[in-house]
Amino acid sequence: MENLSYKEIFDSYFDNEKYQHFFANYANLETIKLPKNIIEQMQNLITAVEKVITISNEKNNNSSNSINIRNDNLKGIFMGYDFHLQNNNENKNITPKLIEINTNAGGAFLNLCLLNAIYKNDKNNVADKLANEFVAMFKNEFAIFSNNQKNLQTIAIVDENPSEQFLYPEFEICQKILVKNNIQTIISSPENLSIQNNNLYYNNSIKIDFVYNRLTDFYLHSNAKNNALLTAYQNDFAAISPNPKIYDLYANKNNLINLSNADFLDNLNIDNQSKNILLKHIPKILKVKNNDTEYLWKQRKNLFFKTAEGYGSKAVYRGDKLTKKVFAEIIESDAYLAQEIIPPSEHLLKNINAVMKADFRCYCYNGKIQLVAARLYQGQTTNFRTENGGFMICESI
């Protein structure tokens, strides 16, 4: 692949005042220093998750939601593994704890802008190299889909009302990087897509090879606007990544129940090393429906309640904030899980003397970490509203 430079693209967004709220402590750029062994623990956990999902999928060949699920070998672009860091005061060890897995993790292209700003005098061109790695990821995903029979020519970045999305600027950055690599790229709402002659088209005129799917209708069956995309997925009319199968295997939070269940892992004959890694790094999580109501109420202060197919902070409740009425509604619902609370770590921004909470997102492809970035914030849940909050690059030391 040609080693292209994207400095002008990165600078045009990073220097724009409209987008400075995405970047933590913008006026005093810094990084979070993570000991090498923490990132190694994150990678080992991701490797163990991949192993379990591969074995389970091969053994059972089923899914938690069989609607619209089909078999394919796509890996899923921009997988996100989100961690909190747990500090064990007894031995001073820091353990990364997996909070959730996302199949359309946002922020990767904004972090390229941040990388470029931090390492602008670095001859290794870290941001350019990672951008080219992202382009190679798109091409590899399409090569899997097409059995290496076609070249990737057109990509649609698809989300509902994309220009109104909070992370729309990164859609534009992605588009500009891909166009610079001679890949025609459009940004579209799903209703602008249609099926013609066994192909997926944008505005009835541009044939789409690949859909970078940013929709939160993860199974593509909750909104009629997604019908063309669903048809394309079910019939191999275009590569779609991430897609319902990838979401079902990884990001449906019911999977965390199995991944943190020793009996489930033993039934799959998972090796002890992988099993111990999973049990160490995944907080206990259980299905609320038909569980011990009295136990859950007594333990509620130590639990988060969230829906299996939720995303972001939607329908998430801290147990210590629950009223009995809301708790009763949660108990009666089939949708909720209860997850052990792992408080986020806190980090001092010395230049402004502010303490921020942080979660850590590993952007991955095919089980390998590409980038680790923190999201700094204050308040109950991760947000970009905090003054001087936002993304911060993590460095291995």
Side-chain angles (χ1 to χ4, degrees), residues 212-229:
Y212 173 18
N213 176 22
R214 293 291 295 252
L215 292 164
T216 53
D217 178 8
F218 300 114
Y219 291 107
L220 301 177
H221 64 65
S222 298
N223 192 327
K225 293 180 180 180
N226 301 329
N227 286 349
L229 201 55

Side-chain angles (χ1 to χ4, degrees), residues 4-6 8-10 12-13 19 109 135 157 169-183 185-187:
L4 297 175
S5 176
Y6 312 96
E8 290 184 4
I9 298 172
F10 298 146
S12 68
Y13 282 85
Y19 308 130
F109 288 94
V135 174
I157 304 167
E170 80 160 351
F171 296 179
E172 294 181 314
I173 298 167
C174 176
Q175 180 187 43
K176 290 177 181 180
I177 289 173
L178 292 169
V179 167
K180 195 162 184 175
N181 283 272
N182 299 315
I183 301 171
T185 305
I186 56 98
I187 301 171

Side-chain angles (χ1 to χ4, degrees), residues 246-271:
I246 296 166
Y247 172 81
D248 197 63
L249 290 176
Y250 290 90
N252 186 308
K253 294 178 183 60
N254 283 309
N255 297 318
L256 293 176
I257 297 175
N258 292 333
L259 289 169
S260 60
N261 185 305
D263 291 338
F264 175 85
L265 299 174
D266 286 339
N267 287 336
L268 285 181
N269 295 316
I270 301 299
D271 62 277

Side-chain angles (χ1 to χ4, degrees), residues 145-161:
F145 170 80
S146 66
N147 294 315
N148 289 304
Q149 298 300 308
K150 300 177 182 178
N151 291 323
L152 177 57
Q153 296 181 319
T154 55
I155 292 177
I157 304 167
V158 177
D159 203 349
E160 189 172 353
N161 303 316

Side-chain angles (χ1 to χ4, degrees), residues 1-196:
M1 174 180 288
E2 185 181 356
N3 293 319
L4 297 175
S5 176
Y6 312 96
K7 177 177 171 52
E8 290 184 4
I9 298 172
F10 298 146
D11 287 344
S12 68
Y13 282 85
F14 188 80
D15 295 339
N16 192 322
E17 290 185 3
K18 291 193 301 184
Y19 308 130
Q20 292 178 6
H21 61 280
F22 288 121
F23 309 111
N25 199 9
Y26 180 87
N28 303 283
L29 288 180
E30 55 184 295
T31 61
I32 287 185
K33 309 295 192 294
L34 286 182
K36 183 179 179 182
N37 77 298
I38 291 179
I39 296 179
E40 288 175 345
Q41 288 180 69
M42 292 172 170
Q43 179 62 72
N44 290 339
L45 183 278
I46 292 165
T47 300
V49 169
E50 288 281 346
K51 180 180 294 186
V52 172
I53 287 175
T54 299
I55 293 173
S56 178
N57 188 44
E58 291 175 350
K59 198 168 187 177
N60 300 321
N61 195 28
N62 61 16
S63 63
S64 61
N65 184 337
S66 60
I67 301 173
N68 304 326
I69 300 298
R70 59 174 300 281
N71 288 320
D72 62 55
N73 296 316
L74 299 189
K75 307 300 181 183
I77 59 175
F78 298 110
M79 293 287 296
Y81 287 76
D82 293 347
F83 292 88
H84 285 177
L85 301 184
Q86 186 178 62
N87 194 346
N88 187 327
N89 292 324
E90 293 181 5
N91 55 23
K92 297 184 179 179
N93 285 339
I94 296 175
T95 304
K97 294 281 190 174
L98 181 68
I99 303 303
E100 64 182 24
I101 304 172
N102 294 290
T103 49
N104 57 359
F109 288 94
L110 290 166
N111 278 298
L112 288 178
C113 299
L114 187 52
L115 273 171
N116 179 70
I118 293 171
Y119 301 108
K120 60 183 177 181
N121 297 320
D122 189 333
K123 294 180 180 179
N124 290 323
N125 298 318
V126 176
D128 285 342
K129 285 186 176 181
L130 185 56
N132 285 321
E133 187 177 326
F134 288 166
V135 174
M137 174 177 64
F138 279 96
K139 290 183 176 181
N140 186 71
E141 196 83 333
F142 186 70
I144 294 171
F145 170 80
S146 66
N147 294 315
N148 289 304
Q149 298 300 308
K150 300 177 182 178
N151 291 323
L152 177 57
Q153 296 181 319
T154 55
I155 292 177
I157 304 167
V158 177
D159 203 349
E160 189 172 353
N161 303 316
S163 63
E164 298 175 16
Q165 296 295 328
F166 183 70
L167 292 176
Y168 179 68
E170 80 160 351
F171 296 179
E172 294 181 314
I173 298 167
C174 176
Q175 180 187 43
K176 290 177 181 180
I177 289 173
L178 292 169
V179 167
K180 195 162 184 175
N181 283 272
N182 299 315
I183 301 171
Q184 183 179 10
T185 305
I186 56 98
I187 301 171
S188 174
S189 293
E191 62 267 29
N192 293 327
L193 303 176
S194 61
I195 304 297
Q196 298 178 34

Side-chain angles (χ1 to χ4, degrees), residues 343-354:
S345 52
E346 295 186 336
H347 302 263
L348 175 65
L349 301 182
K350 295 180 180 179
N351 289 313
I352 56 174
N353 195 31

